Amino acid sequence: MTLRPESSSELLIDGKLVPGSGGTFDIINPATEEVIGQAADGTAADMDAAIAAARTAFDTTTWSRDPAFRAKCLRQLRDALQGHVDELREITIAEVGAPHFLTSGPQLEGPIADLGYFADLAENYQWSSDLGRAKPMGIKNDRVVQREAAGVVGAITPWNFPHQINFAKIGPALAAGCTVVLKPAPDTPWCAALVGKVIAEETDVPAGVINIVTSSDHSVGALLSTDPRVDIVSFTGSTATGKKVMIAAAESLKRVFLELGGKSAFIVLDDADLASACSMAGFSVVTHAGQGCAITTRLLVPREKYSEAIAHVRDSMAGLPAGDPTDSGTICGPVISAVQRDRVESYIQLARDEGGTIEVGGGRPANKDKGYFIEPTLISGVENSARVAQEEIFGPVLVIIPHDGDDDAIRIANDSPYGLSGAVWGTDPDRIKKVVDGVRTGTMSINGGIWYSADIPFGGYKQSGIGREMGVAGFEEYLETKAIATPA
């Protein structure tokens, strides 16, 4: 398997690699603005065929009832992908603009390895539970609760961490016994198409069990929300689009999993090592140009240390300039597209209009005449009510806000429509616990703790989503519960 510049990919439908009915569309390298190849452009007809194949595979094969075989196929996929990791790394850096260092972790190698976790889960999960004997209405019955696959899954994924998010849906869904139709983002189709090629050519996954439809048309993915043959829609993306998915899915009462936006708070307590905390906050927000829904983009610091904190963060972010993602030392690469760069720049201008101060950054790097680069930017002098503190920007932009003690920090953190992630730095365990318990969010990091792992459930409160991905909780999103009674 090799995909090089000027190559084109194919769709995976019913076990076959096929061209898109709509021809092809260009793939742009966000660091160079060059066309690096073409992706198959799927249409509504292609999506219809993919859904039909997934429905047939679920209804007519033994896939949903054979966890040992499913585990075998997942391990085959993991091992085959690991054999192509260098090619996948090259494509991921070129297509996503992902910094090279991240491909050793959550941009590539980590998600591939995580497939093994879901294979183990398929084999070891307790698929049935004996509830023992009871006498409802005086009649003795033996009762069992059985867990089984929910059906056909429509997975719609974004461009920022394509492998991690694709496999966080594919892995547990296949392990649970579901069949899948994956619609990846138009910005990063190759990452998914290459996986489809590996599945078709190097695994025993039966035809129709997984189908991958790349397309330049967002409405093709929207068909997964409305088609009655699809039982679950698993969507990761913006909160605005997630609401549309939920509305569309309501017509057929299909289950939805939504992993949406975030505006997570990084809380620094007054007993913390301020320099270390601020350095970490600056590093976090510039990683992958801030294109992560769980990145902490509001830094809350003690009011009496506000000026000092600004200086620390300014120094940290200034030392992490936007650069070439192929360079192993780059932390902040480009944003994904010209459209996204314009969006980030509009928020930086909005901060100025709202009376904020740009402490560092605020524009395009002077040494970059090509590529969708934005300088790491620190904004001070705005309240938490400012739009730049309330809305998800999805760029290397950090807003620093003063707080007046632990309770005030919790209040500010919760003063957001989102609740996806968060962080707290301090030394007093009781105070840290109070913050962790008080902030309404799906994940929390304490003093730099890393919560990302295959066995950790990920998701958010409020408008950050519904349900959990990864871990046992994420696996069970793809299961139904059946109660069975037998006269004793």
Side-chain angles (χ1 to χ4, degrees):
M1 179 194 74
T2 302
L3 204 54
R4 290 290 184 260
E6 304 309 319
S7 296
S8 61
S9 62
E10 296 174 294
L11 312 179
L12 175 61
I13 299 177
D14 202 17
K16 302 179 182 65
L17 297 171
V18 298
S21 297
T24 62
F25 63 98
D26 289 343
I27 301 171
I28 307 297
N29 182 326
T32 65
E33 303 183 42
E34 296 174 342
V35 175
I36 55 174
Q38 287 75 42
D41 203 357
T43 64
D46 295 319
M47 181 59 75
D48 179 74
I51 294 171
R55 185 78 261 169
T56 298
F58 185 81
D59 292 340
T60 65
T61 74
T62 60
W63 175 260
S64 67
R65 299 183 296 280
D66 193 345
F69 178 58
R70 300 197 300 268
K72 172 190 171 183
C73 289
L74 282 168
R75 293 190 183 107
Q76 283 181 330
L77 178 57
R78 176 200 61 194
D79 295 346
L81 291 170
Q82 287 174 337
H84 293 291
V85 73
D86 290 336
E87 296 160 75
L88 288 164
R89 191 187 324 278
E90 180 183 350
I91 291 302
T92 304
I93 294 169
E95 181 178 61
V96 185
H100 185 283
F101 89 99
L102 276 180
T103 63
S104 297
Q107 276 287 13
L108 180 61
E109 293 186 36
I112 291 174
D114 290 347
L115 292 171
Y117 169 81
F118 292 108
D120 294 343
L121 198 53
E123 287 182 328
N124 301 322
Y125 186 72
Q126 186 174 340
W127 293 97
S128 64
S129 301
D130 188 348
L131 296 186
R133 184 167 295 177
K135 296 174 63 178
M137 295 178 287
I139 302 171
K140 292 181 180 180
N141 281 271
D142 293 323
R143 294 90 39 76
V144 172
V145 171
Q146 183 170 295
R147 305 303 301 274
E148 45 190 53
V152 175
V153 174
I156 306 170
T157 58
W159 42 259
N160 57 323
F161 281 81
H163 295 298
Q164 194 281 316
I165 299 170
N166 289 345
F167 294 149
K169 299 185 189 300
I170 291 172
L174 296 183
C178 294
T179 57
V180 179
V181 179
L182 172 65
K183 167 59 174 68
D187 303 274
T188 53
W190 261 359
C191 288
L194 288 174
V195 173
K197 187 174 177 65
V198 169
I199 290 170
E201 297 179 348
E202 301 183 43
T203 76
D204 295 325
V205 175
V209 163
I210 181 163
N211 307 269
I212 300 175
V213 180
T214 59
S215 178
S216 62
D217 185 353
H218 287 284
S219 67
V220 170
L223 296 173
L224 292 167
S225 300
T226 57
D227 197 302
R229 295 170 294 179
V230 176
D231 298 293
I232 296 177
V233 173
S234 181
F235 170 81
T236 298
S238 72
T239 295
T241 304
K243 291 176 181 179
K244 294 177 182 178
V245 168
M246 195 171 187
I247 291 168
E251 181 63 29
S252 56
L253 286 179
K254 61 171 86 310
R255 190 188 306 175
V256 294
F257 165 81
L258 303 174
E259 196 275 285
L260 307 176
K263 195 69 179 179
S264 303
F266 189 119
I267 297 172
V268 181
L269 304 182
D270 61 16
D271 63 346
D273 180 333
L274 187 67
S276 296
C278 290
S279 177
M280 179 58 72
F283 177 88
S284 175
V285 82
V286 305
T287 300
H288 190 30
Q291 297 172 115
C293 53
I295 289 175
T296 45
T297 53
R298 290 182 295 155
L299 176 59
L300 313 185
V301 300
R303 188 175 299 276
E304 64 274 14
K305 297 182 179 181
Y306 189 54
S307 297
E308 183 183 354
I310 289 172
H312 285 306
V313 182
R314 186 170 54 224
D315 291 346
S316 172
M317 296 180 74
L320 298 168
D324 183 351
T326 64
D327 186 336
S328 61
T330 294
I331 306 300
C332 180
V335 296
I336 191 66
S337 66
V339 171
Q340 183 62 20
R341 181 179 61 188
D342 290 346
R343 171 185 165 85
V344 176
E345 288 178 328
S346 73
Y347 272 104
I348 294 172
Q349 183 57 48
L350 178 62
R352 295 186 176 101
D353 296 342
E354 291 182 323
T357 299
I358 307 302
E359 299 286 351
V360 68
R364 303 180 187 183
N367 64 338
K368 299 289 183 185
D369 58 356
K370 287 288 186 180
Y372 309 124
F373 293 94
I374 292 284
E375 294 175 314
T377 300
L378 175 64
I379 299 169
S380 68
V382 296
E383 300 294 327
N384 192 59
S385 57
R387 283 182 59 192
V388 292
Q390 286 290 309
E391 298 177 14
E392 186 175 47
I393 298 174
F394 231 60
V397 180
L398 181 64
V399 180
I400 185 167
I401 300 168
H403 69 75
D404 295 308
D406 301 0
D407 289 338
D408 191 47
I410 294 169
R411 178 192 64 78
I412 295 171
N414 288 334
D415 182 16
S416 168
Y418 301 111
L420 187 56
S421 187
V424 58
W425 280 62
T427 57
D428 185 323
D430 292 333
R431 293 174 64 192
I432 289 173
K433 185 177 189 309
K434 180 179 179 180
V435 172
V436 171
D437 292 348
V439 177
R440 302 192 66 233
T441 188
T443 63
M444 282 290 286
S445 167
I446 298 173
N447 292 330
I450 299 172
W451 44 259
Y452 168 73
S453 178
D455 61 346
I456 291 287
F458 174 68
Y461 290 27
K462 299 186 283 185
Q463 292 188 38
S464 284
I466 297 172
R468 291 295 181 270
E469 202 152 60
M470 307 290 282
V472 174
F475 170 76
E476 290 180 337
E477 295 282 354
Y478 300 100
L479 298 179
E480 290 282 13
T481 301
K482 180 178 288 182
I484 304 167
T486 305

